[in-house]
């Protein structure tokens, strides 16, 4: 964390977008190494080099670092994250877009902001709105999918799973749920030194008027694709 803070404070302001992404990826890989988490990626070849929206299920605060270790991207996170010690400040420096879950007006403003960003950069969202134990996928909230329709970019569902390297079964050690605090979550992960995280990129949905009539259909399609992927694993 000290290395990350120093990089964000003294180096990031002078780096190009490409070099920033490289530093983000290096730092995220370092975090996974510290926690002894192996990263496995399936379907990486499906992703476009042009801007796109990724919609992922959400299990842990680690999800962001897992995805950044694979491919650095901008995120949308709940506003509470901004207040987290250290990690909240770091998220701000990394260009995270924060959204107030209790404000429909703010959500509409964020959609417009996301659509502008999607003209040049890709974004990842966690449309469940909260993290889960990873057993099932909660209904996807459709609001933020409107940004992809406005920007006319493809939407890629992403399924994320934390597994035991010993048994191959799903592990709840990284799950960040209920009233759990960040330090408690870190402690649970540190106690389990045989974790693997698998992310699976699924076939995209093209967000244009012809193939995606509305944001609700787009959200439901992504939710169903991820749920089927987790069930088949």
């Amino acid at each position: 964390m000290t290395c990350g803070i120093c990089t964000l404070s003294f180096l990031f302001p002078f780096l190009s977008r490409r070099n920033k992404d490289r530093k983000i990826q290096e730092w995220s890989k370092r975090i996974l190494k510290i926690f002894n988490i192996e990263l496995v990626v399936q379907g990486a070849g499906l992703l476009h080099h042009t801007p796109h929206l990724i919609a992922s299920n959400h299990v842990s605060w680690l999800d962001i670092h897992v995805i950044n270790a694979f491919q650095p991207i901008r995120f949308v996170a709940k506003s509470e994250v901004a207040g987290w010690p250290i990690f909240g400040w770091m998220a701000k420096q990394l260009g995270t877009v924060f959204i107030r879950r209790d404000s429909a007006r703010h959500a509409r403003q964020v959609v417009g902001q996301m659509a502008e960003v999607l003209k040049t950069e890709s974004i990842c969202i966690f449309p469940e709105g909260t993290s889960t134990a990873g057993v099932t996928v909660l209904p996807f909230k459709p609001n933020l999918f409107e940004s992809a329709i406005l920007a006319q970019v493809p939407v890629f569902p992403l399924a994320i799973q934390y597994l035991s390297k010993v048994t191959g079964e799903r592990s709840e050690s990284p799950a960040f749920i209920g009233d759990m605090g960040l330090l408690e979550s870190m402690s649970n992960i540190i106690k389990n030194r045989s974790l693997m995280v698998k992310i699976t990129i699924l076939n995209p949905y093209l967000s244009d008027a012809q193939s995606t009539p509305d944001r609700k259909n787009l959200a439901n399609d992504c939710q169903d694709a991820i749920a089927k992927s987790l069930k088949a694993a």
Side-chain angles (χ1 to χ4, degrees):
M1 287 191 293
T2 301
C3 179
I5 290 170
C6 291
T7 299
L8 289 172
S9 298
F10 304 114
L11 189 58
F12 248 52
F14 307 102
L15 295 179
S16 65
R17 181 72 255 176
R18 181 176 180 180
N19 285 331
K20 285 181 180 179
D21 286 346
R22 181 172 59 82
K23 289 293 183 182
I24 291 170
Q25 187 173 39
E26 290 174 355
W27 191 74
S28 296
K29 286 182 176 179
R30 178 62 178 163
I31 288 179
L32 297 188
K33 185 176 181 180
I34 288 171
F35 286 109
N36 199 37
I37 299 175
E38 177 186 349
L39 173 60
V40 176
V41 181
Q42 295 182 342
L46 292 172
L47 281 181
H48 297 181
H49 294 294
T50 53
H52 52 265
L53 182 70
I54 288 179
S56 173
N57 63 310
H58 195 17
V59 179
S60 173
W61 58 271
L62 270 173
D63 296 349
I64 289 176
H65 305 294
V66 168
I67 296 170
N68 273 335
F70 158 59
Q71 177 176 291
I73 191 171
R74 291 185 66 172
F75 288 85
V76 176
K78 58 185 180 181
S79 57
E80 291 90 334
V81 173
W84 287 4
I86 302 178
F87 284 101
W89 176 83
M90 297 179 85
K92 293 176 184 177
Q93 307 310 307
L94 295 174
T96 301
V97 179
F98 296 103
I99 182 170
R100 295 198 300 271
R101 292 182 293 180
D102 59 347
S103 173
R105 180 180 178 182
H106 188 247
R108 288 193 294 270
Q109 292 174 346
V110 169
V111 166
Q113 183 180 349
M114 288 173 59
E116 284 298 312
V117 172
L118 284 169
K119 292 179 181 180
T120 56
E121 298 181 65
S122 298
I123 297 177
C124 179
I125 60 174
F126 298 112
E128 289 171 292
T130 187
S131 52
T132 73
V135 181
T136 58
V137 182
L138 297 178
F140 277 9
K141 294 175 171 47
N143 291 352
L144 298 184
F145 286 89
E146 183 73 22
S147 63
I149 297 173
L150 293 174
Q152 295 189 353
V153 299
V155 181
F156 288 87
L158 184 151
I160 185 166
Q161 298 171 285
Y162 292 89
L163 309 167
S164 167
K165 287 190 284 188
V166 177
T167 66
E169 299 294 323
R170 182 180 58 84
S171 173
E172 291 192 7
S173 295
F176 190 63
I177 53 179
D179 296 327
M180 184 180 294
L182 186 58
L183 292 180
E184 180 185 354
S185 175
M186 287 184 174
S187 177
N188 291 339
I189 297 168
I190 289 171
K191 290 175 184 176
N192 189 336
R193 304 299 290 173
S194 60
L195 282 173
M196 174 178 70
V197 59
K198 182 172 74 171
I199 58 177
T200 304
I201 312 297
L202 303 168
N203 288 321
Y205 294 92
L206 301 178
S207 52
D208 55 49
Q210 183 176 1
S211 61
T212 307
D214 59 50
R215 63 190 185 185
K216 291 184 178 179
N217 286 351
L218 186 55
N220 290 337
D221 287 343
C222 289
Q223 177 192 331
D224 290 343
I226 292 173
K228 289 177 182 177
S229 176
L230 295 178
K231 187 175 181 180

